[in-house]
Amino acid sequence: MRHALGVLGVLAAGVLLVVSATMNWRFGISLGRTELDGQIYGAASAAADCLKALIPFFLFAAIRSKMWSQAAAAAILGVVVTAYSLTSSLGHAALNRFDTAGNRAAEAQVYQDHRADLKRAQDQLSWIPQHRPAATVQGEIEAMKSQRAWTSTKGCTDATRPASRTFCQSFHGLTAEMASGQQAQELESRIREIQGKLEQTDQMTVMTEADPQATVLAKITGFETEQVQMAMTMFIALLLEVGSIFGMYVAFSQWRLYDREAPSAPAMAPMASTAAAAVAAPEEEVVAIRKPRSGANDNRSLPAQPQKLLVPETDVQRFYKESVDSQDGHTVSATSLYEAYCVWCEERQKEPLALPTFGREIAEFGIQKVKKKDGVRYVGIALKSDLDLEEDKKLTALRAEAA
């Protein structure tokens, strides 16, 4: 479960880091005078943003190791790259938010203008008198022009007789009806064009506010919409910056990066074998002394023995070898053992591990432990300091009896 949470955390932090680096890259490109300069600035900006995510690892590692100069350098570098990244994030977020709100407002205004044009065209169409289709009227006008009265009246410019006046009145009536039909055709074409534009417009966009989120928050808080928009822009930029800075560090904490895994300690030899080895040691030294030595002028070289690489001991292993001894019938409480380890680390100016981590490394030594009323106790071991104290008490008792 811990590893699954760590993987999910790393993925989420990675997304924030990629988004923040992309924003920095685009901001850097906009600073270049030429395309090459823009690519250089963009790469530098993205690299600075990635370095920003590594700063917490460097900073806390330096503090943990008490390397104050490196910690100060990491802190200064973190402030610089974070400030630069924050400015680019603010610019990018503001540009997108205000640009989106402006486009929505412009679309809404265009939609309202089209609605007004449509209403005006429909009103004008309703004012036009009743008329027949323009093609029909045009056919009648051509037929009247072919009559004899059209010639005698000189195209209805000289109508002196009642018959000619009646003819010309009919002709002018058809002309007016023709004009009405042509105007109606133009208005109908205009109406169809406006309706097509309105159908292409997103109804949800034009019927909502330009920035619905800022509008709702402004109504709730009582602030102006522009102030809320500015606050939301800053909040988005801070989200990206804080998430990209500490996201990886927090996610990787699930794997305990600074906990050291202690290898299995060698099995403790029994007391009898230890004593036998101590007795056999002088005999081996004597045999070694009696071996014939090579002459002073013997230049023969012995074959080189391969060097065996040893795994470095951890602090817990060193503490165990220096401060703990195997003793049958003895027990040590987990609290006392950890306090002795802390004292050992303090004397050597080392940073002690946390109690759970220390307990896990001690458990890898294969020491039996039992739960008592006073807590967990380790069986079969004793602190050398406690053994020395017992020896001092015994010697004091023997001296008192002898006196």
Side-chain angles (χ1 to χ4, degrees):
M1 183 62 181
R2 184 182 68 183
H3 294 289
L5 291 176
V7 171
L8 293 177
V10 169
L11 290 176
V15 171
L16 290 175
L17 180 59
V18 170
V19 172
S20 181
T22 304
M23 293 174 66
N24 277 264
W25 179 73
R26 294 193 62 181
F27 179 76
I29 286 181
S30 65
L31 298 178
R33 185 179 59 182
T34 63
E35 183 179 358
L36 179 59
D37 292 339
Q39 295 294 336
I40 292 174
Y41 282 119
S45 301
D49 196 76
C50 294
L51 181 61
K52 175 191 66 180
L54 299 175
I55 289 297
F57 294 95
F58 300 150
L59 176 61
F60 293 115
I63 293 175
R64 189 182 184 88
S65 302
K66 298 182 179 180
M67 294 184 291
W68 307 118
S69 59
Q70 294 184 5
I76 295 174
L77 181 61
V79 170
V80 173
V81 296
T82 301
Y84 177 81
S85 181
L86 181 61
T87 56
S88 62
S89 298
L90 282 172
H92 190 274
L95 176 63
N96 281 270
R97 191 177 193 92
F98 292 120
D99 185 61
T100 302
N103 288 336
R104 287 180 177 176
E107 290 181 4
Q109 185 61 43
V110 171
Y111 180 81
Q112 296 298 329
D113 293 341
H114 287 332
R115 290 294 300 270
D117 290 343
L118 178 62
K119 182 66 169 55
R120 189 181 305 110
Q122 291 175 344
D123 291 340
Q124 291 176 357
L125 182 62
S126 65
W127 297 336
I128 297 176
Q130 292 293 332
H131 59 277
R132 291 172 295 170
T136 302
V137 178
Q138 181 67 32
E140 293 183 3
I141 292 175
E142 294 297 331
M144 291 186 69
K145 288 182 178 180
S146 63
Q147 294 180 12
R148 185 178 179 180
W150 175 260
T151 306
S152 62
T153 58
K154 299 179 182 180
C156 286
T157 59
D158 185 14
T160 57
R161 292 179 296 178
S164 61
R165 285 197 295 270
T166 302
F167 174 82
C168 290
Q169 288 177 357
S170 300
F171 177 81
H172 290 309
L174 291 175
T175 304
E177 187 178 5
M178 178 67 180
S180 298
Q182 291 176 347
Q183 186 179 5
Q185 287 180 349
E186 293 177 357
L187 289 174
E188 289 173 354
S189 176
R190 174 64 176 165
I191 289 172
R192 286 194 297 270
E193 180 183 356
I194 296 173
Q195 288 176 342
K197 293 180 179 179
L198 290 175
E199 290 176 357
Q200 295 176 357
T201 306
D202 187 1
Q203 299 294 326
M204 296 300 297
T205 301
V206 299
M207 296 304 293
T208 58
E209 297 288 342
D211 194 341
Q213 183 185 31
T215 303
V216 172
L217 291 176
K219 292 179 180 179
I220 294 175
T221 59
F223 292 102
E224 296 292 334
T225 305
E226 291 77 8
Q227 296 176 344
V228 175
Q229 287 179 332
M230 183 62 65
M232 292 302 300
T233 301
M234 295 181 62
F235 181 75
I236 293 174
L238 288 176
L239 169 65
L240 289 174
E241 295 308 308
V242 175
S244 58
I245 292 174
F246 297 105
M248 286 293 182
Y249 187 80
V250 173
F252 276 114
S253 65
Q254 295 294 324
W255 282 288
R256 304 179 183 275
L257 295 179
Y258 297 108
D259 287 353
R260 290 165 292 183
E261 296 293 337
S264 300
M268 304 299 294
M271 297 298 296
S273 60
T274 305
V279 173
E283 295 180 0
E284 293 177 358
E285 292 178 359
V286 173
V287 173
I289 293 174
R290 291 179 180 177
K291 285 183 180 180
R293 299 174 59 186
S294 301
N297 297 325
D298 192 357
N299 294 328
R300 291 177 298 175
S301 59
L302 296 176
Q305 297 293 331
Q307 295 182 355
K308 186 176 181 180
L309 299 177
L310 300 177
V311 179
E313 294 181 341
T314 64
D315 290 343
V316 176
Q317 285 181 309
R318 291 182 56 193
F319 160 74
Y320 189 89
K321 293 175 66 174
E322 295 178 9
S323 304
V324 180
D325 197 1
S326 298
Q327 291 290 330
D328 294 335
H330 283 73
T331 61
V332 178
S333 67
T335 304
S336 300
L337 188 64
Y338 181 70
E339 290 176 352
Y341 163 71
C342 292
V343 173
W344 183 88
C345 290
E346 184 178 359
E347 292 175 351
R348 290 159 179 77
Q349 295 183 352
K350 293 180 175 292
E351 183 72 18
L353 298 176
L355 179 57
T357 307
F358 174 77
R360 287 198 301 270
E361 295 200 9
I362 287 295
E364 293 182 359
F365 295 168
I367 304 172
Q368 182 183 2
K369 61 181 180 179
V370 294
K371 290 186 178 180
K372 302 255 181 188
K373 292 182 178 179
D374 57 347
V376 178
R377 300 189 70 85
Y378 293 98
V379 180
I381 62 172
L383 292 170
K384 291 182 180 181
S385 58
D386 295 342
L387 295 177
D388 293 340
L389 183 60
E390 291 180 3
E391 291 294 334
D392 292 341
K393 290 181 179 180
K394 290 179 181 180
L395 290 175
T396 303
L398 290 174
R399 290 173 183 172
E401 291 177 1

